[in-house]
Amino acid sequence: MALKIGVIGTGMIGQDHIRRLTQVLSGAQITAVTDIDAVRAAAAAPAGARATNTPQELIRADDVEAVVICSWGPAHEEQLLDCIAAGKPVFCEKPLVTSEQAALRVIDAEAAFGRRLVQVGFMRRFDADYRSLKAVIDGGTLGTPLMYKSVHRNVSVPAGLYTSDMPLNDTLVHDADISRWLLDDEISAVEVRTPRRSSRGQDLRDPVMVMLYMGSGAIVDVEISVNIAYGYDIRGEVSCEQGIAALPNRPATVISDQFGIRQAIPRDWRDRFIDAYDQEFREWIIAAQKGGATGPSTWDGYAATLVGDAALRAVTSGAREPIHMRDKPDIYA
Ligand code: NAP
């Protein structure tokens, strides 16, 4: 039986996930959608789905067995808590929530429910290249990982909508999560350095360099450049005791012409991670059909929230800002 899904938030990524769930993957049926903008919701509703007036109505509906949250971050907490109260599996786009206290409330609710219901949209964990990198590290042939370099470059960001805090409390969450996952370690402190600003970024604090200090002593350095112009460039390199494992920017098509041999660069995250998003939802559907969740958890969303908060403190203080996590509930073991 197809999993009956309700989608909250039918903006850019909500529409892309609706396309994925209806046209690419099997095992799912969208029965309801909702958005603050009722016209947008009605337009995005696929055949056989209706638009509800509110997220609460969608979450409680008998023909919604699982929920996908693609609204904006500040709305996630209430929608997540309603899903947990209804006992329904929920896929929530990043960020999990926008404050530490909100993350703790979601953790408490899920722990009280007694098992995982929430999966957070850190799609890099489902990317074939990142999985291959992790397999090499976990395989142990290169020895203990000592350092990780993470590069996160965007062509541009929307002027006026993307603020100076967002490289640190929005973009960085993907690098923070993938660092924790690759190194199987928690981040204990954060430091931020700001080089000369790019003239393409107008008033933005861009680029930024972030140091993530892992509990084990390993160090991650992250470059975030959000107006790099030439393409969407995501890279990683792990330095281990006896070797290096690297994830270069994924080349797409190779072009040979009178200018030489060139590889096209992805233009944005949809281009680069399209297969990862598909795999993320493939695995979520299987887990949700069993009434649960897999992959990135509420705990992982909480950790990313703490890193974003610490990075904002660090860019102001100039100091290494510590991160203190609460004890991990058993359901996230
Ligand atoms: P978007 O285009 O602005 O879409 C968000 C939609 O949700 C809008 O239609 C918005 O309506 C609606 N909305 C806002 N609050 C709502 C509420 N309380 N109830 C119902 N609908 C509500 O944004 P987006 O780019 O799709 O991003 C959505 C989420 O996905 C964000 O959390 C973002 O960080 C995340 N995201 C993740 C990735 C990734 O790589 N995993 C990539 C892109 C986005 P209004 O426009 O009228 O406010």
Side-chain angles (χ1 to χ4, degrees), residues 17-60:
H17 289 335
I18 289 171
R19 175 195 61 76
R20 170 167 293 110
L21 289 164
T22 54
Q23 297 175 28
V24 181
L25 303 178
S26 56
Q29 177 196 357
I30 295 179
T31 51
V33 300
T34 192
D35 195 285
I36 278 192
D37 183 336
V39 175
R40 190 179 300 147
R50 69 188 189 294
T52 67
N53 290 323
T54 64
Q56 290 69 33
E57 191 187 326
L58 177 143
I59 291 165
R60 290 177 200 142

Side-chain angles (χ1 to χ4, degrees), residues 8-15 17 34-37 40 55 69-76 78-79 91 93-95 121-123 170 174 232 269 273 277 280:
I8 301 174
T10 56
M12 181 172 56
I13 204 158
Q15 290 177 32
H17 289 335
T34 192
D35 195 285
I36 278 192
D37 183 336
R40 190 179 300 147
I69 297 178
C70 301
S71 55
W72 73 317
H76 291 181
E78 185 184 3
Q79 294 163 1
F91 176 94
E93 262 308 341
K94 67 86 191 162
F122 291 133
M123 75 294 180
D170 190 70
H174 285 297
Y232 182 66
W269 41 273
F273 287 111
Y277 288 113
E280 168 184 63

Side-chain angles (χ1 to χ4, degrees), residues 307-319:
V307 171
D309 289 353
L312 288 181
R313 290 198 304 276
V315 78
T316 306
S317 70

Side-chain angles (χ1 to χ4, degrees), residues 230-254:
Y230 70 86
Y232 182 66
D233 193 350
I234 300 296
R235 305 176 190 209
E237 185 176 286
V238 188
S239 301
C240 303
E241 290 171 321
Q242 300 164 56
I244 306 290
L247 180 149
N249 192 24
R250 180 183 282 195
T253 313
V254 179

Side-chain angles (χ1 to χ4, degrees), residues 21-281:
L21 289 164
T22 54
Q23 297 175 28
V24 181
L25 303 178
S26 56
Q29 177 196 357
I30 295 179
T31 51
V33 300
T34 192
D35 195 285
I36 278 192
D37 183 336
V39 175
R40 190 179 300 147
R50 69 188 189 294
T52 67
N53 290 323
T54 64
Q56 290 69 33
E57 191 187 326
L58 177 143
I59 291 165
R60 290 177 200 142
D62 289 338
D63 64 350
V64 169
E65 297 169 326
V67 177
V68 173
I69 297 178
C70 301
S71 55
W72 73 317
H76 291 181
E77 179 190 0
E78 185 184 3
Q79 294 163 1
L80 283 164
L81 292 174
D82 284 344
C83 289
I84 294 169
K88 296 190 179 179
V90 50
F91 176 94
C92 181
E93 262 308 341
K94 67 86 191 162
L96 173 77
V97 289
T98 51
S99 74
E100 176 180 356
Q101 291 311 314
L104 292 174
R105 285 189 286 272
V106 179
I107 285 176
D108 286 342
E110 199 177 24
F113 184 76
R115 63 180 159 81
R116 278 192 60 191
L117 285 174
V118 179
Q119 181 171 328
V120 183
F122 291 133
M123 75 294 180
R124 289 189 186 185
R125 295 188 187 203
F126 300 86
D127 177 71
D129 292 349
Y130 275 110
R131 285 185 162 184
S132 159
L133 188 62
K134 182 162 176 60
V136 171
I137 299 166
D138 290 351
T141 52
L142 301 183
T144 303
L146 308 173
M147 294 178 285
Y148 176 53
K149 186 184 299 294
S150 190
V151 173
H152 192 149
R153 300 183 183 132
N154 289 72
V155 174
S156 63
V157 287
L161 291 174
Y162 191 95
T163 64
S164 261
D165 285 350
M166 290 176 78
L168 299 175
N169 69 0
D170 190 70
T171 304
L172 176 64
V173 297
H174 285 297
D175 302 276
D177 182 69
I178 209 68
S179 301
R180 294 175 59 249
W181 180 73
L182 281 173
L183 302 179
D184 195 16
D185 203 354
E186 291 295 1
I187 297 165
S188 61
V190 180
E191 208 173 304
V192 178
R193 290 289 172 267
T194 51
R196 171 183 194 175
R197 292 188 182 198
S198 164
S199 62
R200 289 176 39 80
Q202 293 139 15
D203 295 330
L204 278 185
R205 191 191 293 125
D206 170 45
V208 291
M209 294 178 69
V210 183
M211 307 289 275
L212 305 176
Y213 294 87
M214 309 304 292
S216 65
I219 296 181
V220 176
D221 75 89
V222 185
E223 173 200 320
I224 297 179
S225 299
V226 296
N227 280 290
I228 204 79
Y230 70 86
Y232 182 66
D233 193 350
I234 300 296
R235 305 176 190 209
E237 185 176 286
V238 188
S239 301
C240 303
E241 290 171 321
Q242 300 164 56
I244 306 290
L247 180 149
N249 192 24
R250 180 183 282 195
T253 313
V254 179
I255 303 163
S256 301
D257 60 14
Q258 72 269 32
F259 303 113
I261 300 172
R262 294 172 285 123
Q263 292 179 317
I265 298 172
R267 291 307 295 167
D268 67 13
W269 41 273
R270 280 163 295 204
D271 201 6
R272 168 63 180 82
F273 287 111
I274 187 164
D275 297 332
Y277 288 113
D278 289 350
Q279 187 61 21
E280 168 184 63
F281 272 91

